Amino acid sequence: MANTEQEILAGLAEIVSEETGLPTDSVLPEKSFTDDLDIDSLSMMTIVTLAEEKFGVRIPDDEVKNLSSVGDVIKFIQGAQA
Amino acid sequence: MTNAIDVVVTGLGATTPLGGDVESTWTAALAGKSGVRTLDNDWAQKYEMSVSFAGTLAVPAAEVLTRPETRKMDPSAQYAMIAAREAWADAGSPVVDGDRLATVVGSGIGGVWTILSAWDTIQEKGARRALPMTVPMLMPNSPAANLSIEFGARAGAHAPVSACASGAEAIAYGTQMIRDGKADVVIAGGTEAAVHPMPISSFAAMKALSTRNDDPAGASRPYDITRDGFVLGEGAGIVVLESAAHAAARGARVLARIGGLGTSSDAFHIAAPEPTGAGQTVAMQRALADADLTPRDIVHLNAHATSTPVGDMIEARAIRSLFGDDVDHMVLSATKSMMGHLLGAAGAVETILTILALRDRLAPPTINITQPEPDLGLDLVCNTPRELPAGPLAAINNSFGFGGHNVALVVTSA
């Protein structure tokens, strides 16, 4: 079942906020995980694992390095759900 | 023998079944309260457990820490962090050269909640759902490592593991680091978060736990003839250790001195204490010799006394054998009567209670004593606190662990 971009953003924001303590409204598509949200590689892998479960997709390990912004993850999930 | 570098205690922190910090724990202890309660869940019915109670934290960690902190640390590390922040603030949040600051935190069991919930997840959802923080959270050095990061401690981060002696051993190790010139300040103690159906059921399988389900608060009763086992507790105790010179240079308030350390091992059985208590006596003798004191100098002893039928009397024999005729001016407290057995945190929390007993000149009570052991031969502080004499004071804290680990610490007044 495909989610809208807004639903994916809201779901990701919830995961990132739980993991980092950042407010959900700071998690925006243009934000970089490392530069803007200060997320390290273990936290990134945690977010990916939880996002896979939440959105019913598989994000291959060698794909993760290409997902530098929140928007990149949203796009990947939309593509994987299509 | 005397030690060239004197080690003092300048800060205390704890979270226990009696209170979310040191003073609330101490106030409840002097009032003879119990922190042992019926578990607020369905484990007992669901798993047909023979024990349905424990000494759970008076203030849950989730009420103190942020959500990201509770997600990134096992409860055992969470409790240590809460206690360490209190201890550090209590020490005056000193500015310390990180190269001269160490952390030493022991645990009896380690990150058992993390291990078991990760395994549950893998069984239910497959290996792909394993979370990357699982190993950093479950490893038994995680509390010491998390504290080293929190406080910028680069002189070393260590995690002595000796079952129920771990917390005392951590304080001994930290003291020795300062004596050896490896650090000026050490954040040291013990932590345990094992109130989970697996440890409870497994301790129960050893017939080690009290099954007094109809009276949880009355279940832990060391040295009472009706005692039927220990009560599992959880929590953490952390002290700030400091060389006396470093403390004096910054004008720190000194709470007590760690006068002496004594350790021994029974080399007897993986779980049972050696019946004569000889190894326990040796640990106490070594601690006294290290402190350059004799039994005559000791006014108070916080016993390991877990409320097991066999263990309590072996320790009593070990104490009598050490003190001989000097036993009549030493008062004995068994504070596990109030909070249960905090396993790897016990030695640290009980060292804190021993320090406070010297500070306030009040030995805490042993509660639930209705029929004391007639052959105890020791002056047990029953049910209400007992005043300690004026003048300089010295006390012993005993901690013993499965595997035959014996640790005795001598604490002296500031």
mmCIF file of all heavy atoms in Angstrom, chain A residues 18-21 42-43 46 50 52-53 58-59, chain B residues 67-68 71-72 125 128-133 136:
data_model
loop_
_atom_site.group_PDB
_atom_site.id
_atom_site.type_symbol
_atom_site.label_atom_id
_atom_site.label_comp_id
_atom_site.label_asym_id
_atom_site.label_seq_id
_atom_site.Cartn_x
_atom_site.Cartn_y
_atom_site.Cartn_z
ATOM 1 N N GLU A 18 12.118 10.473 17.693
ATOM 2 C CA GLU A 18 12.316 9.483 18.764
ATOM 3 C C GLU A 18 13.790 9.182 18.950
ATOM 4 O O GLU A 18 14.288 9.044 20.062
ATOM 5 C CB GLU A 18 11.610 8.169 18.386
ATOM 6 C CG GLU A 18 10.121 8.183 18.605
ATOM 7 C CD GLU A 18 9.781 7.655 19.983
ATOM 8 O OE1 GLU A 18 9.971 6.455 20.220
ATOM 9 O OE2 GLU A 18 9.349 8.457 20.819
ATOM 10 N N GLU A 19 14.506 9.066 17.843
ATOM 11 C CA GLU A 19 15.909 8.656 17.890
ATOM 12 C C GLU A 19 16.815 9.780 18.372
ATOM 13 O O GLU A 19 17.795 9.545 19.067
ATOM 14 C CB GLU A 19 16.330 8.179 16.488
ATOM 15 C CG GLU A 19 17.779 7.771 16.322
ATOM 16 C CD GLU A 19 18.142 6.491 17.068
ATOM 17 O OE1 GLU A 19 17.244 5.769 17.520
ATOM 18 O OE2 GLU A 19 19.359 6.241 17.194
ATOM 19 N N THR A 20 16.490 11.022 17.981
ATOM 20 C CA THR A 20 17.418 12.132 18.238
ATOM 21 C C THR A 20 16.930 13.120 19.272
ATOM 22 O O THR A 20 17.734 13.896 19.799
ATOM 23 C CB THR A 20 17.643 12.928 16.942
ATOM 24 O OG1 THR A 20 16.376 13.474 16.531
ATOM 25 C CG2 THR A 20 18.200 12.054 15.837
ATOM 26 N N GLY A 21 15.621 13.146 19.532
ATOM 27 C CA GLY A 21 15.083 14.159 20.426
ATOM 28 C C GLY A 21 14.767 15.463 19.710
ATOM 29 O O GLY A 21 14.276 16.411 20.324
ATOM 30 N N LEU A 42 25.336 4.984 13.107
ATOM 31 C CA LEU A 42 24.515 3.989 13.803
ATOM 32 C C LEU A 42 23.066 4.454 13.914
ATOM 33 O O LEU A 42 22.133 3.673 13.726
ATOM 34 C CB LEU A 42 25.064 3.706 15.207
ATOM 35 C CG LEU A 42 26.261 2.771 15.300
ATOM 36 C CD1 LEU A 42 26.581 2.492 16.760
ATOM 37 C CD2 LEU A 42 26.007 1.474 14.562
ATOM 38 N N SER A 43 22.893 5.743 14.210
ATOM 39 C CA SER A 43 21.528 6.268 14.277
ATOM 40 C C SER A 43 20.873 6.205 12.905
ATOM 41 O O SER A 43 19.677 5.922 12.785
ATOM 42 C CB SER A 43 21.529 7.712 14.776
ATOM 43 O OG SER A 43 21.614 7.750 16.169
ATOM 44 N N THR A 46 19.709 2.822 12.356
ATOM 45 C CA THR A 46 18.512 2.577 13.177
ATOM 46 C C THR A 46 17.280 3.152 12.482
ATOM 47 O O THR A 46 16.226 2.491 12.397
ATOM 48 C CB THR A 46 18.681 3.229 14.571
ATOM 49 O OG1 THR A 46 19.856 2.701 15.180
ATOM 50 C CG2 THR A 46 17.476 2.972 15.457
ATOM 51 N N LEU A 50 14.018 1.060 11.134
ATOM 52 C CA LEU A 50 12.656 1.349 11.590
ATOM 53 C C LEU A 50 11.771 1.810 10.429
ATOM 54 O O LEU A 50 10.575 1.496 10.385
ATOM 55 C CB LEU A 50 12.694 2.416 12.693
ATOM 56 C CG LEU A 50 13.423 1.977 13.970
ATOM 57 C CD1 LEU A 50 13.551 3.141 14.947
ATOM 58 C CD2 LEU A 50 12.698 0.812 14.649
ATOM 59 N N GLU A 52 12.083 0.850 7.262
ATOM 60 C CA GLU A 52 11.745 -0.354 6.484
ATOM 61 C C GLU A 52 10.492 -1.001 7.056
ATOM 62 O O GLU A 52 9.576 -1.380 6.331
ATOM 63 C CB GLU A 52 12.895 -1.383 6.565
ATOM 64 C CG GLU A 52 14.063 -1.091 5.658
ATOM 65 C CD GLU A 52 14.998 -2.297 5.558
ATOM 66 O OE1 GLU A 52 14.892 -3.216 6.410
ATOM 67 O OE2 GLU A 52 15.829 -2.313 4.640
ATOM 68 N N GLU A 53 10.472 -1.120 8.398
ATOM 69 C CA GLU A 53 9.341 -1.779 9.035
ATOM 70 C C GLU A 53 8.067 -0.949 8.898
ATOM 71 O O GLU A 53 7.005 -1.467 8.565
ATOM 72 C CB GLU A 53 9.657 -2.029 10.518
ATOM 73 C CG GLU A 53 8.548 -2.786 11.213
ATOM 74 C CD GLU A 53 8.957 -3.316 12.584
ATOM 75 O OE1 GLU A 53 10.054 -2.975 13.069
ATOM 76 O OE2 GLU A 53 8.166 -4.078 13.172
ATOM 77 N N ARG A 58 12.129 -2.489 1.538
ATOM 78 C CA ARG A 58 13.486 -2.920 1.840
ATOM 79 C C ARG A 58 14.445 -1.874 1.288
ATOM 80 O O ARG A 58 14.382 -1.522 0.103
ATOM 81 C CB ARG A 58 13.741 -4.274 1.191
ATOM 82 C CG ARG A 58 15.065 -4.875 1.586
ATOM 83 C CD ARG A 58 15.206 -6.267 0.974
ATOM 84 N NE ARG A 58 16.533 -6.790 1.298
ATOM 85 C CZ ARG A 58 16.743 -7.778 2.163
ATOM 86 N NH1 ARG A 58 15.731 -8.347 2.773
ATOM 87 N NH2 ARG A 58 17.976 -8.200 2.398
ATOM 88 N N ILE A 59 15.288 -1.355 2.171
ATOM 89 C CA ILE A 59 16.276 -0.360 1.744
ATOM 90 C C ILE A 59 17.640 -1.057 1.783
ATOM 91 O O ILE A 59 18.192 -1.290 2.857
ATOM 92 C CB ILE A 59 16.262 0.882 2.674
ATOM 93 C CG1 ILE A 59 14.826 1.459 2.765
ATOM 94 C CG2 ILE A 59 17.248 1.931 2.171
ATOM 95 C CD1 ILE A 59 14.656 2.601 3.763
ATOM 96 N N ARG B 67 13.961 10.884 26.001
ATOM 97 C CA ARG B 67 13.589 9.720 25.199
ATOM 98 C C ARG B 67 14.793 9.196 24.384
ATOM 99 O O ARG B 67 15.056 7.987 24.392
ATOM 100 C CB ARG B 67 12.416 10.118 24.309
ATOM 101 C CG ARG B 67 11.946 9.042 23.378
ATOM 102 C CD ARG B 67 11.047 8.034 24.062
ATOM 103 N NE ARG B 67 10.598 7.044 23.090
ATOM 104 C CZ ARG B 67 10.723 5.728 23.249
ATOM 105 N NH1 ARG B 67 11.236 5.236 24.360
ATOM 106 N NH2 ARG B 67 10.306 4.899 22.321
ATOM 107 N N PRO B 68 15.555 10.053 23.706
ATOM 108 C CA PRO B 68 16.737 9.511 23.003
ATOM 109 C C PRO B 68 17.718 8.812 23.946
ATOM 110 O O PRO B 68 18.343 7.823 23.573
ATOM 111 C CB PRO B 68 17.364 10.750 22.357
ATOM 112 C CG PRO B 68 16.234 11.696 22.197
ATOM 113 C CD PRO B 68 15.340 11.478 23.381
ATOM 114 N N ARG B 71 16.490 5.395 24.688
ATOM 115 C CA ARG B 71 16.589 4.516 23.512
ATOM 116 C C ARG B 71 18.006 4.050 23.239
ATOM 117 O O ARG B 71 18.217 3.018 22.625
ATOM 118 C CB ARG B 71 16.084 5.245 22.265
ATOM 119 C CG ARG B 71 14.574 5.325 22.171
ATOM 120 C CD ARG B 71 14.196 6.299 21.086
ATOM 121 N NE ARG B 71 14.756 5.935 19.802
ATOM 122 C CZ ARG B 71 14.147 5.149 18.910
ATOM 123 N NH1 ARG B 71 12.979 4.649 19.189
ATOM 124 N NH2 ARG B 71 14.713 4.890 17.752
ATOM 125 N N LYS B 72 18.996 4.850 23.650
ATOM 126 C CA LYS B 72 20.388 4.532 23.300
ATOM 127 C C LYS B 72 21.155 3.851 24.421
ATOM 128 O O LYS B 72 22.310 3.475 24.252
ATOM 129 C CB LYS B 72 21.124 5.802 22.868
ATOM 130 C CG LYS B 72 20.643 6.330 21.520
ATOM 131 C CD LYS B 72 21.533 7.467 21.038
ATOM 132 C CE LYS B 72 21.194 7.890 19.624
ATOM 133 N NZ LYS B 72 19.870 8.522 19.499
ATOM 134 N N LYS B 125 10.524 -11.053 13.895
ATOM 135 C CA LYS B 125 10.509 -10.269 12.660
ATOM 136 C C LYS B 125 11.671 -10.568 11.730
ATOM 137 O O LYS B 125 11.742 -10.002 10.635
ATOM 138 C CB LYS B 125 10.521 -8.777 13.006
ATOM 139 C CG LYS B 125 9.344 -8.337 13.849
ATOM 140 C CD LYS B 125 9.496 -6.881 14.249
ATOM 141 C CE LYS B 125 8.338 -6.415 15.125
ATOM 142 N NZ LYS B 125 8.597 -5.055 15.640
ATOM 143 N N ARG B 128 16.755 -8.939 9.850
ATOM 144 C CA ARG B 128 16.832 -7.601 9.280
ATOM 145 C C ARG B 128 16.307 -6.533 10.227
ATOM 146 O O ARG B 128 16.609 -5.348 10.053
ATOM 147 C CB ARG B 128 16.062 -7.563 7.964
ATOM 148 C CG ARG B 128 16.676 -6.624 6.998
ATOM 149 C CD ARG B 128 16.157 -6.564 5.619
ATOM 150 N NE ARG B 128 16.538 -5.277 5.064
ATOM 151 C CZ ARG B 128 17.763 -4.966 4.669
ATOM 152 N NH1 ARG B 128 18.738 -5.847 4.734
ATOM 153 N NH2 ARG B 128 18.032 -3.758 4.201
ATOM 154 N N ARG B 129 15.520 -6.932 11.203
ATOM 155 C CA ARG B 129 14.980 -5.956 12.165
ATOM 156 C C ARG B 129 15.897 -5.753 13.384
ATOM 157 O O ARG B 129 15.557 -5.006 14.286
ATOM 158 C CB ARG B 129 13.585 -6.386 12.632
ATOM 159 C CG ARG B 129 12.534 -6.374 11.548
ATOM 160 C CD ARG B 129 12.101 -4.951 11.182
ATOM 161 N NE ARG B 129 11.328 -4.983 9.953
ATOM 162 C CZ ARG B 129 11.864 -4.780 8.736
ATOM 163 N NH1 ARG B 129 13.144 -4.495 8.600
ATOM 164 N NH2 ARG B 129 11.103 -4.845 7.662
ATOM 165 N N ALA B 130 17.023 -6.452 13.420
ATOM 166 C CA ALA B 130 17.984 -6.218 14.514
ATOM 167 C C ALA B 130 18.452 -4.776 14.439
ATOM 168 O O ALA B 130 18.733 -4.270 13.354
ATOM 169 C CB ALA B 130 19.164 -7.169 14.388
ATOM 170 N N LEU B 131 18.524 -4.104 15.591
ATOM 171 C CA LEU B 131 18.898 -2.689 15.584
ATOM 172 C C LEU B 131 20.404 -2.524 15.809
ATOM 173 O O LEU B 131 21.007 -3.269 16.594
ATOM 174 C CB LEU B 131 18.121 -1.936 16.670
ATOM 175 C CG LEU B 131 16.631 -1.764 16.354
ATOM 176 C CD1 LEU B 131 15.886 -1.236 17.571
ATOM 177 C CD2 LEU B 131 16.435 -0.831 15.158
ATOM 178 N N PRO B 132 20.995 -1.540 15.124
ATOM 179 C CA PRO B 132 22.453 -1.383 15.211
ATOM 180 C C PRO B 132 22.976 -0.972 16.584
ATOM 181 O O PRO B 132 24.148 -1.175 16.871
ATOM 182 C CB PRO B 132 22.770 -0.297 14.175
ATOM 183 C CG PRO B 132 21.483 0.342 13.839
ATOM 184 C CD PRO B 132 20.396 -0.631 14.135
ATOM 185 N N MET B 133 22.125 -0.418 17.445
ATOM 186 C CA MET B 133 22.617 -0.033 18.779
ATOM 187 C C MET B 133 22.589 -1.194 19.766
ATOM 188 O O MET B 133 22.973 -1.035 20.929
ATOM 189 C CB MET B 133 21.790 1.133 19.336
ATOM 190 C CG MET B 133 22.215 2.511 18.847
ATOM 191 S SD MET B 133 23.940 2.902 19.248
ATOM 192 C CE MET B 133 23.800 3.182 21.018
ATOM 193 N N PRO B 136 26.248 -2.088 21.319
ATOM 194 C CA PRO B 136 26.735 -1.041 22.239
ATOM 195 C C PRO B 136 25.879 -0.891 23.493
ATOM 196 O O PRO B 136 26.352 -0.393 24.512
ATOM 197 C CB PRO B 136 26.675 0.227 21.396
ATOM 198 C CG PRO B 136 26.663 -0.213 19.986
ATOM 199 C CD PRO B 136 26.037 -1.574 19.953
#
